[in-house]
Amino acid sequence: MIEKMNRVIHKAAYGSFLLGVLSGVSMTALIFISTLMRYLGGRPLRFSDELAGLLFLSLTFLCLPHVLNKGRHIRIEILINLVPLGIAKVMDFIGVITLLTFCSIFAYESWNFMNFSFSLNSRTDISSILLWPWMAIMPFSMVLCMLVQITHGLKQPATDANLTEDAI
């Protein structure tokens, strides 16, 4: 049962990642088309700046859970490598607790912000894009990050050694 739940969480993180990548591709295409229209047609798309910002928000937050799941997030491994194994495990544990605390607070606050936006029926200035559905991505992402971390227990998800060597 737990293995099945873990698989569902990992697949949700990967599905979220694919949606984030699609947002990035859409953002790039939108900016490219708007730039072409500005220089070739004299008028860019009116809504391109607002929508590009919302797509960037989607790209960022939807990719976070998968990146965390694969252990490809930013780490300060030089400190971990300099200290003894026991202290490194304590530092790893503190990192996990910090992540879970941050995600909990961020999810709570962003959920309240999204509800406030929903109650006001907030929209963007130029193109009147409804904002609360875009804001819902933030608490969703943070809850999924917490679930991904819980599936890995109280240690950071491991990364592939060969990928780390490529970065050094």
Side-chain angles (χ1 to χ4, degrees):
M1 178 68 174
I2 291 176
E3 278 298 317
K4 189 174 184 178
M5 287 296 293
N6 286 349
R7 275 197 308 270
V8 167
I9 290 168
H10 296 305
K11 286 184 180 189
Y14 185 68
S16 174
F17 172 73
L18 293 178
L19 285 174
V21 169
L22 183 63
S23 293
V25 169
S26 301
M27 179 184 68
T28 304
L30 178 69
I31 291 170
F32 179 73
I33 290 168
S34 183
T35 302
L36 281 179
M37 289 180 67
R38 173 177 288 131
Y39 291 108
L40 298 179
R43 288 187 53 184
L45 296 173
R46 284 178 13 127
F47 59 89
S48 64
D49 290 342
E50 291 175 339
L51 187 55
L54 293 171
L55 288 169
F56 182 73
L57 171 116
S58 302
L59 165 71
T60 304
F61 281 95
L62 289 174
C63 290
L64 281 175
H66 179 69
V67 170
L68 175 66
N69 190 32
K70 294 298 179 185
R72 299 299 296 159
H73 55 288
I74 296 173
R75 300 178 196 229
I76 307 174
E77 289 186 357
I78 193 164
L79 294 176
I80 299 289
N81 295 336
L82 291 175
V83 298
L85 183 61
I87 295 174
K89 286 184 179 183
V90 170
M91 290 171 69
D92 196 44
F93 176 75
I94 291 170
V96 168
I97 297 303
T98 302
L99 172 78
L100 291 174
T101 303
F102 173 80
C103 287
S104 300
I105 294 169
F106 195 97
Y108 176 77
E109 293 296 332
S110 61
W111 180 263
N112 289 337
F113 190 50
M114 182 210 58
N115 278 334
F116 181 68
S117 174
F118 178 77
S119 68
L120 294 177
N121 198 28
S122 293
R123 297 178 178 273
T124 59
D125 289 333
I126 296 172
S127 54
S128 296
I129 300 171
L130 194 59
L131 288 174
W132 73 265
W134 298 89
M135 292 177 172
I137 293 171
M138 293 184 287
F140 167 77
S141 172
M142 292 296 111
V143 169
L144 194 51
C145 281
M146 287 189 296
L147 292 173
V148 163
Q149 182 59 59
I150 290 168
T151 65
H152 288 281
L154 294 176
K155 61 183 174 48
Q156 297 281 337
T159 187
D160 294 339
N162 60 350
L163 293 175
T164 304
E165 291 171 3
D166 290 344
I168 297 174

